[in-house]
Structures are given as C-alpha cells and as structure tokens.
Amino acid sequence: MADRLDAILADGVPRVCSAAVALIAVNGSVVAASATGELVRYADAEGTLAEDRPPVRRDSVFDLASISKLFTTSAILSLVEAGRLDLDEPVATWLPGRDPRITLRRLLTHTAGLQPTRRIDLELPGADPAARLAAITDTPITAPVGGPYLYSDVGLVMAGHVAEVAGEAPLDELVHARVTSVLGLPDTGYRPTARARWEPAGLSRIAATEWKAERPGPGCVRGDVHDETCYALGGVAGHAGVFSTADDLLVFGETLRLDGGAMLRPGTVAEMRRDQGAEGAAFRHGLGVRIGDPGIVGPLTGAFGHSGFTGTSLVVDPAHQLTAVLLTNAVHPVRGRDGIRTLRHAVAAEALRLADQA
C-alpha cells in the first residue's frame, strides 16, 4: 500500500529535500510507510556531493524544528494538570518583572505581542546560554497584546522557561519526564549526539541540515540543532531543538488524536485542540497547535498539527481518524528550496485517500 507514497517522496527527493520519511496511520494502524534519499548528500553550500552518502531509513533521526513547540506545550499542560501552572495567570508569577499582560495562553497562541525572533547569538556573541536566555525572556512587548496573531519564537522560549521555573527542572528533563518517557519514545529528545541510545552509531542515523560556516566541524550541520537561537541557548529551547524518528512522532500525534493517553487528560487535550480565537492568521490556533494550516494539511482542512522549518510536518485529523508524519531535511545544504509545501500537501492527500478506503 506504500507504492503511491513511495512515488510521492521520490518526486520530491532530491529536488526538494535530500531525505524524506513519511508514515500514515489510519484507525491506529500504519497503512503506508516510505523512506527515500540520503541522510547526507552535500558537503558544502555549493552542492558538492559528499563522499559518504548514507541512505535514509525509517528509523532515521531528523531535526523537528518548530514541531518542538508541541512537546513544550504538552509539558506545560502537564504542569497545569499538576497545579503548578495556570494558563491565564501572568507569567510574572514565575518570571518576576515581566509585563503582567503576558500569560501562557497568549504565549501558546502567539498573541502576547512579542517579536517573531531574536538572533541572540549575534546580539550577545560572547555570552553563555544562561545570559542569552535571560535576555530573551526580558524581550519587551512591541505589538498589540491579545492579537492579532504574530508568530513568535521568542514567546515559546519564554513559555519553556516558565515551565522550567514551575517544574523545577530544565526543559529537556521536563519533556522527558512528562512526555517522551510517558509515551515510550526512545528516539525523541534534544541534543541527540549526547544521547547514549544512539551510540555507538553516533551520527549515522541523523539527517544533515544546513551548511553553516560559523559552526564547528566539517561539512553541514549534523546532530546539532539547526535553529540558530536554540543553538545559542545550548540546544534546548521552547521553540526548537527536539529530534525524533517518524515512528516516535507518529505515536505522539496519535496520542493527541486519542485524547492524551497516559500523557494528558482528555479535557486538557480538548482545550489544546480548541480554536482559541487568535485573529489574523491563515489558520485557527489552539494551544501550541495550528488548526487547518494551509501550509501542511492539504485537503484535511479540519486537521491540527505543526510544521518545522527543516521541512517537517505533523498532521492529525480526528474526524478521519488519521495521523500523517513527514520528516525531511529541506534546508540541506541551504534554505530556500522550492516544493516543500507541495510535498506536504501530497502526503496529506494520500492520507485522506487511504482513510477513505479504510
């Protein structure tokens, strides 16, 4: 049943991305799986072919980029269930001195009035991650509070830090304790090259991303987070940094489709998936998740999920009882390649076709 999915990925690799893995589950069962391409194809920004070009596999590890926001959100909602956070209380409760209009709900819906990003690595080139984090969480409001929607990595960095203060642990430990270990996701986490499970294989399972001359080591980035801000914060942040496999991400998506499983209560997941009324976006917005995002859902207009800058997407459609995962490295060796939106739509359309046949 994967022949059509194989053809969809083959049409995009290596034109759109050098490697792609896609999984589609309907009614809780994987009905199509495909992996094609090379985990490392290029040696530099000029497109010189690498000497060693390992093939992608279903269990290959990809930088999820902004899909990380859903793991941050899940950890935050777990802390809300535990009574340690309140979505509508000012974040100044946990980060004294911040604008009292900023709440976790506004951070998770991108309506807190915070700017989209800060290249804190360039602003504070000699600072350590702690000093950079303090500077980001001190970012002033520069847009209307409460809307319209203004996508902000800064806001999710702040939300992740609120979780750290309330949860009394670093964000990576909170995500592990409250999300990935609960769901049994052995290949999901931050800073993959530091994870013992992936040794002695080392980098061999991880897809390369962009050529960055300022980063240490030969060749394109591999095993370190692509996002510059997250990298400057030590590889762990509320907006980026999580690496995963397609199977792990599928389990995570299915958990949200099936009302939270062992991770969150059904009412909490319902609130996460509810349209929070953020105005001005091309889609509806839940807590952390986008609903009907035209960039990823294709014909699944009622689906929720998120995309990632590296070319990843997670699409969950409870009405059609399906989850679709697409992992790619579309920024390898440089960003700006055309076609990732079309590839995402094609995978979503194939998921709907298979669901209609079930």
Side-chain angles (χ1 to χ4, degrees):
M1 296 183 68
D3 290 351
R4 289 173 63 104
L5 190 59
D6 288 342
I8 288 168
L9 296 194
D11 183 57
V13 176
R15 177 177 52 86
V16 176
C17 51
S18 299
V21 179
L23 289 181
I24 296 170
V26 177
N27 297 325
S29 297
V30 174
V31 295
S34 185
T36 188
E38 301 160 324
L39 290 177
V40 181
R41 180 171 174 81
Y42 303 105
D44 53 38
E46 284 69 45
T48 304
L49 291 177
E51 292 185 9
D52 183 21
R53 302 200 295 274
V56 69
R57 307 185 316 184
R58 177 167 165 170
D59 68 345
S60 295
V61 175
F62 287 78
D63 182 339
L64 297 186
S66 281
I67 294 178
S68 304
K69 293 176 171 69
L70 305 191
F71 289 85
T72 301
T73 300
S74 297
I76 287 171
L77 293 177
S78 175
L79 289 166
V80 170
E81 289 186 348
R84 304 181 76 168
L85 285 174
D86 186 314
L87 291 173
D88 297 307
E89 194 168 353
V91 300
T93 302
W94 303 278
L95 304 179
R98 275 59 180 187
D99 192 302
R101 296 173 293 172
I102 301 175
T103 64
L104 281 170
R105 190 181 301 276
R106 284 174 169 162
L107 293 176
L108 296 178
T109 56
H110 300 274
T111 58
L114 292 166
Q115 64 196 60
T117 189
R118 283 182 68 177
R119 283 297 305 273
I120 203 67
D121 54 325
L122 302 180
E123 291 181 39
L124 301 174
D128 62 18
R132 289 168 169 170
L133 177 61
I136 289 183
T137 56
D138 276 336
T139 300
I141 289 172
T142 54
V145 176
Y149 168 90
L150 179 61
Y151 185 77
S152 176
D153 283 343
V154 170
L156 265 292
V157 172
M158 185 179 294
H161 189 43
V162 170
E164 291 180 321
V165 174
E168 300 179 323
L171 182 60
D172 55 341
E173 294 182 13
L174 291 172
V175 168
H176 175 73
R178 295 180 173 272
V179 182
T180 61
S181 66
V182 173
L183 299 182
L185 309 182
D187 287 330
T188 302
Y190 302 85
R191 296 184 289 209
T193 52
R195 291 171 59 83
R197 174 175 172 80
W198 291 329
E199 297 297 341
L203 297 176
S204 65
R205 292 176 57 196
I206 305 174
T209 53
E210 193 172 9
W211 167 263
K212 291 181 180 290
E214 71 277 12
R215 297 279 186 98
C220 294
V221 173
R222 192 178 185 200
D224 285 321
V225 63
H226 171 267
D227 182 89
E228 295 90 350
T229 300
C230 184
Y231 183 76
L233 295 174
V236 179
H239 72 297
V242 176
F243 287 69
S244 188
T245 60
D247 279 281
D248 272 14
L249 188 57
L250 183 72
V251 170
F252 178 71
E254 281 285 281
T255 299
L256 296 178
R257 181 179 73 83
L258 297 172
D259 300 330
M263 180 177 67
L264 294 170
R265 300 170 190 157
T268 302
V269 175
E271 183 64 11
M272 182 182 185
R273 290 164 28 182
R274 182 179 69 83
D275 180 3
Q276 299 288 316
E279 298 180 353
F283 42 78
R284 304 177 301 284
H285 215 293
L287 296 174
V289 300
R290 297 175 174 184
I291 307 163
D293 179 0
I296 61 173
V297 301
L300 300 170
T301 55
F304 68 89
H306 215 288
S307 60
F309 188 77
T310 50
T312 57
S313 59
L314 172 65
V315 175
V316 183
D317 192 327
H320 291 96
Q321 300 183 64
L322 69 83
T323 297
V325 169
L326 175 64
L327 301 184
T328 84
N329 57 346
V331 295
H332 179 59
V334 294
R335 66 189 70 186
R337 300 171 73 174
D338 293 329
I340 189 62
R341 182 185 179 109
T342 300
L343 180 58
R344 287 165 169 162
H345 284 191
V347 172
E350 176 62 6
L352 177 59
R353 188 188 72 84
L354 292 171
D356 286 343
Q357 290 184 347

